[in-house]
Amino acid sequence: MSTPLVRRLTGSLFAAALAVGLAACGSPAPTAATTGAATATASSQGATVSGTAVSLSAPTGSVAVTPVTPALSITGPGGEAVTLPAKPQRIVCLTGLCDDVLVELGLAPVGTSTPGLLALPEFMGANSTTVTTIPGSFGSEDVESIAALKPDLVVGLAGAHDQMRSAVEQFAPLWLLDVKDWHSSVDYLRAFATLTDRPDQQVAAEQSFDTKLAAARAASAAGLKNTTALTMYISGGGQGVNTQDDLLGGLMGEVFTYPWPNKGGGWDTAQAYSFEEILAVDPQIVFIQSFTDGPDGPTGSQQFANNPVWQQVSAVKNGKVVEVDTDLWTAGRGPRSLGLVLDQAVAAAS
């Protein structure tokens, strides 16, 4: 599969290690100068936003959420520092996590590279046409089109947009997000709420995700944990598996038995499972993200239809292969998307 597609498919800890430019990028320097601004910091135990401790313990369904305190300087979950001269009003999103979090906070980007995500009815629906689509492939978006929107902040994905920094920062700060797991997604929700002064919306969004995660865990405890699941992607005849250390794979591990470790090596081996290896595990339900050549292109299920090994997999024999929305399951990395993914996965398995 092509490098841009691999970058789009993998927004997790594994993605940060991809040899095709998705290496961990460290902590970018502050993008603008300001004085007297509060600072947010993050650690493995919790996040601190303007001095207010926010627990990162697993949601229970009734957890009390602490609203953030607005500030113009933060340190994101990946250690990246962002300092702005004023509250950002015009944000360009080059990663779906940005779009997701803005919608959760009752905001909208001025430009996006994932218009399909915003067009979903659970996001902006028909109103998404008011958001400019940034041309170019993922990781190589057209800089002139971004500049034309006069953004206060441009948000991309660490490992995918690093090479754009020098060009973008001629006209706006560039914030590169580093998503490792759903905890990171929630932490980014808090960070965006801090910069945009949306504490009430942040609390409501966290509670919504908490409720969905708690419901999924309850379904898991009621029996779904005994179901072996697989989440995979397909494009151009090639396939890959969302492994346990991947954002999506880790989320599936909250609900199902998910025995798909990272295989190590480069990007072409770490998530590359053969049909024989998939059959050896024999998942009972499979979720496929099919990247087709247009709306009439064959899905992964259709491409695999004549593969004799694939046909022996229990999920295939029992009609438990689910084609999912690629914009939601792949591009959407924020709490709203992940909550919807949990809903859909539980409903399909139940």
Side-chain angles (χ1 to χ4, degrees):
M1 65 183 64
S2 68
T3 296
L5 177 59
V6 172
R7 288 173 174 166
R8 185 180 176 208
L9 288 173
T10 51
S12 65
L13 177 62
F14 164 66
L18 288 181
V20 286
L22 295 188
C25 64
S27 303
T31 54
T34 188
T35 58
T39 301
T41 60
S43 70
S44 59
Q45 286 75 38
T48 303
V49 181
S50 300
T52 301
V54 183
S55 173
L56 288 185
S57 59
T60 63
S62 59
V63 66
V65 176
T66 303
V68 299
T69 301
L72 296 177
S73 182
I74 63 166
T75 301
E80 68 281 9
V82 179
T83 304
L84 302 175
K87 182 173 71 174
Q89 304 288 340
R90 300 178 61 80
I91 300 175
V92 170
C93 293
L94 304 181
T95 173
L97 172 57
C98 172
D99 300 275
D100 181 296
V101 168
L102 288 183
V103 171
E104 282 284 68
L105 296 176
L107 303 170
V110 294
T112 182
S113 62
T114 55
L117 180 66
L118 290 180
L120 295 175
E122 297 88 353
F123 284 79
M124 294 182 66
N127 291 330
S128 65
T129 58
T130 62
V131 180
T132 299
T133 297
I134 305 298
S137 61
F138 184 71
S140 300
E141 288 85 352
D142 183 68
V143 175
E144 290 186 3
S145 298
I146 298 172
L149 294 173
K150 302 186 184 305
D152 302 316
L153 178 65
V154 178
V155 182
L157 190 66
H161 295 102
D162 303 72
Q163 75 283 358
M164 296 177 64
R165 181 176 297 281
S166 59
V168 170
E169 291 193 339
Q170 296 296 316
F171 54 85
L174 177 64
W175 182 14
L176 299 181
L177 313 185
D178 184 13
V179 187
K180 293 178 172 62
D181 50 31
W182 67 258
H183 294 279
S184 298
S185 295
V186 173
D187 276 353
Y188 277 116
L189 169 72
R190 296 167 182 164
F192 273 84
T194 300
L195 289 175
T196 59
D197 189 7
R198 308 289 279 186
D200 293 342
Q201 293 81 358
Q202 165 247 330
V203 169
E206 279 197 53
Q207 290 175 334
S208 176
F209 177 73
D210 169 67
T211 299
K212 289 178 180 292
L213 182 56
R217 285 176 168 166
S220 178
L224 286 187
K225 196 64 176 180
N226 298 322
T227 299
T228 300
L230 168 65
T231 304
M232 61 186 300
Y233 49 85
I234 169 107
S235 175
Q239 79 247 14
V241 166
N242 294 103
T243 51
Q244 293 165 339
D245 59 349
D246 177 280
L247 172 63
L248 195 52
L251 188 69
M252 291 296 101
E254 296 280 352
V255 183
F256 305 103
T257 294
Y258 202 80
W260 307 99
N262 186 317
K263 297 173 68 176
W267 67 266
D268 56 344
T269 63
Q271 295 188 318
Y273 278 78
S274 67
F275 289 112
E276 288 76 13
E277 289 172 312
I278 291 173
L279 177 59
V281 176
D282 199 22
Q284 296 160 282
I285 188 166
V286 177
F287 302 98
I288 299 182
Q289 307 146 68
S290 294
F291 291 84
T292 61
D293 295 326
D296 298 324
T299 65
S301 299
Q302 293 168 335
Q303 293 182 50
F304 299 159
N306 296 323
N307 186 294
V309 179
W310 175 252
Q311 294 304 316
Q312 296 178 55
V313 175
S314 292
V316 179
K317 293 191 293 186
N318 297 325
K320 282 292 187 177
V321 176
V322 184
E323 291 281 347
V324 300
D325 186 286
T326 56
D327 286 303
L328 181 65
W329 282 61
T330 305
R333 300 177 173 98
R336 177 170 294 209
S337 299
L338 298 183
L340 291 168
V341 165
L342 286 171
D343 288 347
Q344 293 179 7
V346 169
S350 300

